[in-house]
Amino acid sequence: MLSYLHAFHAGNFADVQKHSALALTATMMQSKKSGIAFMDTHAGSAVYDLGSERARKTGEADSGVQKLWAARDRLSSSDWQPVLSVLAGLNGKAAQLKLKRYPGSPAWFRHFLRDDDSLVTFELHPTEGERLADWASSPRIRVVRSDGLSGMLNQLPPRQPRLLVLVDPSYEVKSDYADVAATLQKAWQKCRHGVY
């Protein structure tokens, strides 16, 4: 069984980069009104407690999202506003100095869901999948407890005219590198208008 749990790494510098790119891409794609099918191939949990024992064991959020949050007053570019809005919305007034919670990829996607959009998340880890299913309370969000790479291929093409897929496995299994490349090639053949 896979042992990777993102709670040890939530909010690290890679999350900041990944989720900032995701927020910017979703915002840009939503400049058109037509619906978007969002997919998250390795969803994990939807929300992470940055004060939890797991998060504090590595302290990776301190040099990632906490550093970004401390500098938020200097982030004047409009590109940062969706990111800061998601973080503030999840943390509320408690986020004056430090963030207490960090949104996983499903929560970022959920923030951008509109009426004609949908989200399909894939999670193979039983505990993470259960947490994700408990969190997903919208009919526009579907949790599929299976391998995300093959699951994504089975969902293509979507009913919406546009597609945004986040592919971010843990690379705990070394074959993930080749599997991701092969899957993206197949996905592009099935849905050439997708953004992967």
Side-chain angles (χ1 to χ4, degrees):
M1 181 40 129
L2 300 176
S3 60
Y4 178 87
L5 292 173
H6 194 63
F8 290 99
H9 312 288
N12 67 13
F13 74 94
D15 266 358
V16 171
Q17 181 180 15
K18 170 179 63 178
H19 293 135
S20 297
L22 177 63
L24 182 59
T25 304
T27 301
M28 291 173 71
M29 288 180 72
Q30 288 182 335
S31 65
K32 291 184 179 179
K33 294 188 186 294
S34 56
I36 303 170
F38 294 121
M39 292 186 195
D40 189 348
T41 63
H42 297 79
S45 293
V47 178
Y48 298 94
D49 178 356
L50 295 178
S52 73
E53 184 179 335
R54 289 176 176 168
R56 295 311 318 145
K57 183 172 185 176
T58 62
E60 291 181 25
D62 295 343
S63 58
V65 72
Q66 298 294 17
K67 212 171 193 179
L68 174 82
W69 189 249
R72 68 189 179 279
D73 292 338
R74 297 189 304 272
L75 300 174
S76 57
S77 167
S78 61
D79 291 345
W80 283 108
Q81 296 320 302
V83 173
L84 298 174
S85 174
V86 171
L87 295 172
L90 182 63
N91 286 275
K93 294 183 180 181
Q96 293 303 316
L97 300 174
K98 281 193 154 194
L99 298 172
K100 294 186 187 255
R101 302 188 319 155
Y102 187 78
S105 301
W108 287 92
F109 275 120
R110 184 183 203 160
H111 177 81
F112 293 100
L113 276 179
R114 302 169 303 173
D115 288 343
D116 292 337
D117 299 336
S118 66
L119 170 60
V120 179
T121 63
F122 301 91
E123 182 52 55
L124 197 55
H125 192 284
T127 307
E128 296 294 276
E130 189 174 317
R131 285 188 187 130
L132 187 59
D134 289 344
W135 167 84
S137 60
S138 168
R140 292 179 294 143
I141 301 174
R142 196 161 51 118
V143 176
V144 180
R145 295 185 190 188
S146 73
D147 173 69
L149 297 178
S150 61
M152 176 203 30
L153 290 175
N154 291 334
Q155 299 291 320
L156 297 179
R159 69 171 179 78
Q160 286 93 344
R162 294 182 303 138
L163 171 69
L164 175 58
V165 181
L166 178 64
V167 180
D168 185 30
S170 66
Y171 296 101
E172 184 178 9
V173 178
K174 295 307 175 203
S175 65
D176 279 348
Y177 294 95
D179 293 345
V180 166
T183 300
L184 288 175
Q185 184 177 20
K186 290 175 187 173
W188 186 76
Q189 290 169 346
K190 291 182 87 169
C191 186
R192 292 179 187 243
H193 63 274
V195 176
Y196 303 92

